[in-house]
Amino acid sequence: MDVGVLTVALGDEPLDQTLEYLSGIGVGTIELGCGGFVGDSHLSREEYLDDEAAQRELLDLVAEHDLEISALSTHNNPLHPDDDRAERAATEIREAVRLAGQLGVDTVNTFSGLPAGSPSGEVPNWITAPWPPEHAEALEYQWGEVAVPTWTALAEHAADHGVNIGIEMHPNMLAYEPTSLLRLREATNERIGANFDPSHLYWQGIDVTEAIRYLGERGAIHHFHAKDTGLYEHNARIQGYLDTNPYTDEQNRSWLFRSIGYGHGESHWKDVVSTLRMVGYEGALSIEHEDSLTSGREGLEKAVDILNRAVFETQPGDAYWA
């Protein structure tokens, strides 16, 4: 496993300076945003897609800093009820898959997306309960009439290019926890799997190491985001964890995205790394900085420090004691 970084937190810095900095703090891989909510400040699809010279220059620059690209990211909503927005998102995913294939990168990360609750709906609708009955009917519409057809086509496109799609399980998206992620995978093909981001699972009450086992034993983890969450029970005891307060209203929120080690201690992250190894994951631990209590650089440096102590640098030896 390599400690990596999603470079979006450093998006206001030129790519060459970003790579020099990350290499200098002990990072081994990078994840590059190329559209959608994460932007494309370090990798414009228009600039690099189908341009072999530009791609070679990029790969040479990455290699010059002893780094590798773990994934491309274009987080968006290909199931949006606005047809233009949905098609734009799907196009971003398709083009990111093509670009990944051309760069020799095996994974593109995104969201599952979220439709409206009916053909006439105009706003994405996150269904979290089966009652009243129209909610269950809306959920079936979302899966059967929107998600499965859209994602079947995207999964086939990914298979054609030999690229995996890592779905980040995220609330306000259709696949937001392991069983819904697996449902999407089973309805399409094995190119669909998880970009496993534990930060969204903690506040849902999901046991992260159990979720890693559940998906990992089914070969369904394509990539991993290293991102922590702090749970603030003095607020949650009053308002619960379904929190609509702004992310910058830190004092009143029930949970916050935190730098690695500031939501769950170092021993927990060693358990995470060990469980990933048990299920055969050997990819990147790609740090995504979204901690509103510190700067991008400080958050990244503290996360790299902890993860570099957590990852194993060697393969297991013979169990001579067994």
Side-chain angles (χ1 to χ4, degrees):
M1 263 174 262
D2 288 307
V3 176
V5 165
L6 172 62
T7 67
V8 173
L10 304 170
D12 58 348
E13 301 180 24
L15 180 59
D16 57 344
Q17 293 181 20
T18 295
L19 299 183
E20 181 178 8
Y21 164 68
L22 293 176
S23 179
I25 64 171
V27 169
T29 66
I30 55 168
E31 179 185 352
L32 297 172
C34 64
F37 298 125
V38 297
D40 63 357
S41 56
H42 287 152
L43 186 68
S44 165
R45 294 191 321 281
E46 291 78 6
E47 180 179 349
Y48 288 97
L49 189 60
D50 299 323
D51 189 330
E52 292 184 9
Q55 292 168 14
R56 175 48 51 196
E57 184 177 348
L58 171 65
L59 292 172
D60 287 346
L61 179 62
V62 172
E64 179 184 326
H65 294 283
D66 296 319
L67 295 166
E68 295 181 359
I69 302 173
S70 68
L72 307 186
S73 286
T74 174
H75 290 63
N76 48 33
N77 185 357
L79 309 181
H80 200 285
D82 182 304
D83 290 341
D84 290 339
R85 292 180 65 175
E87 180 52 36
R88 184 164 63 249
T91 297
E92 289 174 344
I93 294 171
R94 288 192 296 265
E95 291 183 351
V97 165
R98 285 181 52 217
L99 180 55
Q102 292 170 6
L103 290 170
V105 176
D106 65 7
T107 304
V108 167
N109 294 327
T110 188
F111 293 134
S112 64
L114 184 67
S118 71
S120 61
E122 297 182 355
V123 178
N125 191 340
W126 186 36
I127 306 296
T128 59
W131 187 90
E134 57 265 32
H135 289 242
E137 294 168 4
L139 190 61
E140 287 307 307
Y141 159 77
Q142 291 179 324
W143 278 97
E145 296 188 37
V146 185
V148 171
T150 298
W151 274 106
T152 296
L154 289 171
E156 290 172 352
H157 177 74
D160 289 342
H161 291 274
V163 172
N164 295 323
I165 295 181
I167 302 293
E168 185 171 335
M169 297 172 284
H170 196 296
N172 288 314
M173 297 293 165
L174 194 61
Y176 61 92
E177 44 75 38
T179 65
S180 53
L181 184 280
L182 202 62
R183 179 179 178 180
L184 187 63
R185 176 182 171 89
E186 292 173 346
T188 54
N189 66 35
E190 292 184 353
R191 289 293 175 177
I192 303 300
N195 173 37
F196 194 107
D197 186 328
S199 67
H200 310 297
L201 305 184
Y202 290 123
W203 66 264
Q204 294 185 68
I206 294 171
D207 185 301
V208 164
T209 55
E210 289 296 329
I212 290 171
R213 285 180 181 272
Y214 178 80
L215 291 176
E217 289 170 354
R218 292 161 175 79
I221 299 177
H222 291 329
H223 195 258
F224 188 91
H225 265 182
K227 188 166 126 189
D228 211 341
T229 294
L231 305 177
Y232 300 100
E233 293 185 5
H234 60 284
N235 289 326
R237 282 193 291 268
I238 298 169
Q239 63 194 29
Y241 286 108
L242 292 174
D243 193 338
T244 58
N245 288 305
Y247 287 123
T248 51
D249 185 14
E250 293 92 352
Q251 282 189 309
N252 292 311
R253 283 192 57 82
S254 298
W255 59 269
L256 291 171
F257 295 131
R258 298 305 315 273
S259 302
I260 298 295
Y262 283 81
H264 297 78
E266 185 170 336
S267 64
H268 169 77
W269 284 96
K270 289 179 177 177
D271 285 343
V272 167
V273 167
S274 297
T275 308
L276 286 168
R277 174 167 274 201
M278 287 179 191
V279 299
Y281 179 79
E282 305 216 350
L285 307 175
S286 188
I287 300 164
E288 182 182 20
H289 172 82
E290 290 185 347
D291 188 335
S292 61
L293 296 179
T294 189
S295 67
R297 285 199 172 216
E298 183 176 20
L300 291 175
E301 289 167 14
K302 291 183 183 298
V304 169
D305 178 55
I306 288 177
L307 291 179
N308 272 333
R309 291 198 299 274
V311 297
F312 298 102
E313 297 181 359
T314 61
Q315 291 298 314
D318 292 335
Y320 61 86
W321 59 91

